[in-house]
Amino acid sequence: MHRDSFLLMHSFIIFFVLSISSLATAQQRYLNVSRGSSLTPTKTSSWLSKSSLYAFGFYQRGNGYSVGVFLVGIPEKTVVWTANRDDPPVSANSTLLFTAVEGKLVLQTAQSPDTYIADISQTVSYASMLDTGNFVLCNSDGGIMWQSFAHPTDTLLPTQRLAAGMQLISSASKTDQSSGTFVLYLQTDGNLVQYPKDAQTIEYAYWESMTTELGGKVSLTLGEDGNLYLVNATGFNVRNITGKVYATQGSIYLLRIDWDGLFRLYSHNLGPDSSWSVLWNSTADGCAPRGLCGLNSFCVSNDLKPGCNCLPGFAPVIQGNWTSGCERNFTTQSCKKKGKKYSIRAEDYTIWEDDSYSVLSQTSKEDCSKACLDDCNCEAALYKDSTCTKQRLPLRYGRRSSQNGLIAFIKVEDTSESSTDMFLHTREGKKEIIKDIIIIIIIIISCLFVSSLFVIVVILVVVNHRYRVSSYRRTCHNGDIEFCEDIAPRSYSYAELERMTDDQSLLEDQVILEEWVHRCFEDGELGQLVGDEEVEPKQLERIIKVALWCILEEPSLRPSMKKVLLMLEGTVDIPRPPSPTFFISTI
Ligand SMILES: *[C@@H]1O[C@H](CO)[C@@H](O)[C@H](O)[C@H]1NC(C)=O
Ligand SMILES: *[C@@H]1O[C@H](CO)[C@@H](O)[C@H](O)[C@H]1NC(C)=O
Ligand SMILES: *[C@@H]1O[C@H](CO)[C@@H](O)[C@H](O)[C@H]1NC(C)=O
Ligand SMILES: *[C@@H]1O[C@H](CO)[C@@H](O)[C@H](O)[C@H]1NC(C)=O
Ligand SMILES: *[C@@H]1O[C@H](CO)[C@@H](O)[C@H](O)[C@H]1NC(C)=O
Ligand SMILES: *[C@@H]1O[C@H](CO)[C@@H](O)[C@H](O)[C@H]1NC(C)=O
Ligand SMILES: *[C@@H]1O[C@H](CO)[C@@H](O)[C@H](O)[C@H]1NC(C)=O
């Protein structure tokens, strides 16, 4: 395979080859690898392609090594294919042998029996790492007997085709190439669909190309110009997936279904000092992939970046590992042995897979909560559109939703000694609010000409907020759901402020502060508020917008605490706040 573009790439790459000349002792450039050759992780570890862009051989994975194909012509070594990806990594003592007689590729280790890289019975004459990233085994006529392109893992390279009936499976993590949670499946009906790996039916699909009419003879392919499209049996482009072409020279592209479930098109410039950039992704909603957050946890998106929260009363199985999910931190209720006390906690604005054993229609939230509490078999209940569905754990595929009136009621053991504390621990969202409020305060204090009056106002507002948040918690713990709703944060009336500070100028200062913040916001110059402080601009804008809504004089215009929570998280859009002066001037 010989292409002009690769000659050009070659010249770009010489730089790298020179700069990694120490590595070159461990990598040999074989165009045709002959039988009887071998590789080891520490001595000759890989066979390079002609342009030295790709290599086949051992790469480091955790404390050991795996065999695969990786990009070496760029500063950031990138694995694009792994042989037997779910086998554990092997030790430095291992050998990859290209047998002299039959031409089989055998991985020999001290710990386990020999494993074969390619599953073929015919005799192989030579092997070759091609410049496309395809590792091939050929017969004596040069015919390809086996190729890595036909056994993709999580990555598709330019000119590689994913045939109907085949799927890409995400890796477990950025550094662990074993099979992860998500698949990109080109179905035999022509539809390209993303599923959780263990639930491949249409109700669990979280992305699809909607191309069923194309039928089963299509393949997915990535062009050398970075265009991703479906071709029919005769190789014609019948449907664009990305529909965008890029430079064909000096850049490389790859398509990968990432560990987080999104599939993305990446490009990498072959010049020095460059890195991977994302050109396209299947969805902007990081919480879309079902199962990103494991059992009994739910996905919360923060500026489109997903995160996972446990159900109230639950704790992560493995800290920092989202897919491991959460487990209850209490004993389950027994229908036989009475004695333990249970109560219901609510998680609003969440949506789950409904797998109910009992459905109550036309009920209120209170009745739903009570129905679960009174049923020794009920571990949770989902409330939606006046319907209550009783559930058993684990709850699956949870995520925050901006839709109104979706509530998950969770039955937890009553540990009376520190229940309010536990509530604080489990309601991550509330902690976030307090954190954000503190950020607002710090920003305001740090950037203002620090007038002591402002500090007082600010502290009062914090105290007020804290009081509100903690009383919210208390009412929730009492199990009175109606009370938990829609308590708007409030600001101070003039009289209250006057009473508290005995200072006539306080209100004026507050007005000036609010006007100034609003003006900065209107002018798009929020940077002024923080000075040299390093603050994430989107986060800052969100906080300021929420703050401007919360300080409105008219209480009915202020968002509820729940809304504030969703706004700060980035789950719902924050409308443009009106000017505070209008309302203040009317008092
Ligand atoms: C590698 O092989 C050497 C000699 O055969 C042995 O001493 C050593 O323990 C082996 N190391 C591992 C990690 O298996
Ligand atoms: C590799 O081997 C094949 C078949 O023997 C031959 O046609 C081809 O020219 C060889 N390639 C190189 C670069 O030696
Ligand atoms: C592929 O598409 C081209 C152009 O639309 C068409 O001419 C050709 O007949 C199609 N091939 C098959 C096998 O459907
Ligand atoms: C696919 O996209 C390319 C580039 O935008 C365009 O030239 C081509 O006509 C499109 N093909 C189809 C089948 O839509
Ligand atoms: C993903 O795509 C959306 C548009 O579909 C875009 O808004 C977002 O920035 C993209 N994310 C990344 C990481 O490229
Ligand atoms: C997370 O936990 C699961 C088991 O629940 C495990 O299979 C997976 O490897 C873990 N992932 C990481 C990155 O540790
Ligand atoms: C439950 O969690 C609390 C704090 O979150 C902890 O102190 C307690 O030990 C946990 N109980 C069990 C049974 O794990």
Side-chain angles (χ1 to χ4, degrees), residues 504-522:
Q504 301 286 336
S505 69
L506 183 57
L507 186 66
E508 285 160 42
D509 282 358
Q510 186 189 356
V511 171
I512 293 167
L513 169 63
E514 290 175 4
E515 277 181 356
W516 176 60
V517 173
H518 193 266
R519 206 170 46 244
C520 288
F521 171 73
E522 286 288 315

Side-chain angles (χ1 to χ4, degrees), residues 264 278 280-281 283-284 304:
R264 299 183 174 89
V278 178
W280 180 88
N281 58 47
T283 169
L304 305 177

Side-chain angles (χ1 to χ4, degrees), residues 193-384:
V193 191
Q194 285 191 274
Y195 293 112
K197 193 179 65 195
D198 52 11
Q200 299 192 32
T201 50
I202 199 69
E203 73 232 74
Y204 301 115
Y206 60 89
W207 182 88
E208 57 170 324
S209 64
M210 314 232 240
T211 49
T212 38
E213 76 279 9
L214 295 178
K217 293 274 158 51
V218 291
S219 314
L220 177 70
T221 189
L222 177 61
E224 283 169 290
D225 55 9
N227 191 17
L228 181 70
Y229 53 97
L230 294 168
V231 294
N232 70 6
T234 42
F236 282 91
N237 175 345
V238 285
R239 184 65 60 88
N240 279 322
I241 303 294
T242 58
K244 248 188 165 161
V245 297
Y246 304 92
T248 50
Q249 296 192 337
S251 287
I252 44 175
Y253 303 95
L254 66 81
L255 179 83
R256 186 170 64 208
I257 175 160
D258 284 312
W259 68 273
D260 63 2
L262 267 61
F263 82 94
R264 299 183 174 89
L265 177 65
Y266 289 90
S267 78
H268 196 299
N269 201 296
L270 288 174
D273 296 331
S274 122
S275 60
W276 290 108
S277 54
V278 178
L279 297 177
W280 180 88
N281 58 47
S282 52
T283 169
D285 176 7
C287 278
R290 288 161 186 259
L292 178 64
C293 296
L295 301 175
N296 299 321
S297 68
F298 59 97
C299 187
V300 175
S301 87
N302 200 335
D303 266 344
L304 305 177
K305 283 196 207 81
C308 299
N309 287 1
C310 286
L311 283 175
F314 285 61
V317 175
I318 304 169
Q319 199 71 43
N321 179 336
W322 290 351
T323 46
S324 68
C326 303
E327 63 183 355
R328 49 165 94 73
N329 177 1
F330 52 87
T331 47
T332 35
Q333 188 170 17
S334 160
C335 289
K336 205 167 156 194
K337 274 191 243 152
K338 305 256 155 47
K340 291 236 160 66
K341 279 197 152 175
Y342 291 85
S343 63
I344 296 285
R345 306 258 187 92
E347 190 64 62
D348 305 281
Y349 289 104
T350 53
I351 190 160
W352 302 84
E353 179 187 16
D354 180 6
D355 185 16
S356 59
Y357 68 88
S358 165
V359 178
L360 311 171
S361 48
Q362 301 300 324
T363 43
S364 65
K365 293 180 237 181
E366 291 74 12
D367 289 345
C368 183
S369 165
K370 190 162 181 311
C372 186
L373 186 63
D374 294 346
D375 178 351
C376 63
N377 278 307
C378 182
E379 296 182 286
L382 303 178
Y383 184 79
K384 181 189 177 188

Side-chain angles (χ1 to χ4, degrees), residues 73-85:
I74 55 175
E76 199 181 336
K77 187 161 149 180
T78 306
V79 178
V80 296
W81 181 78
T82 299
N84 304 319
R85 68 194 298 205

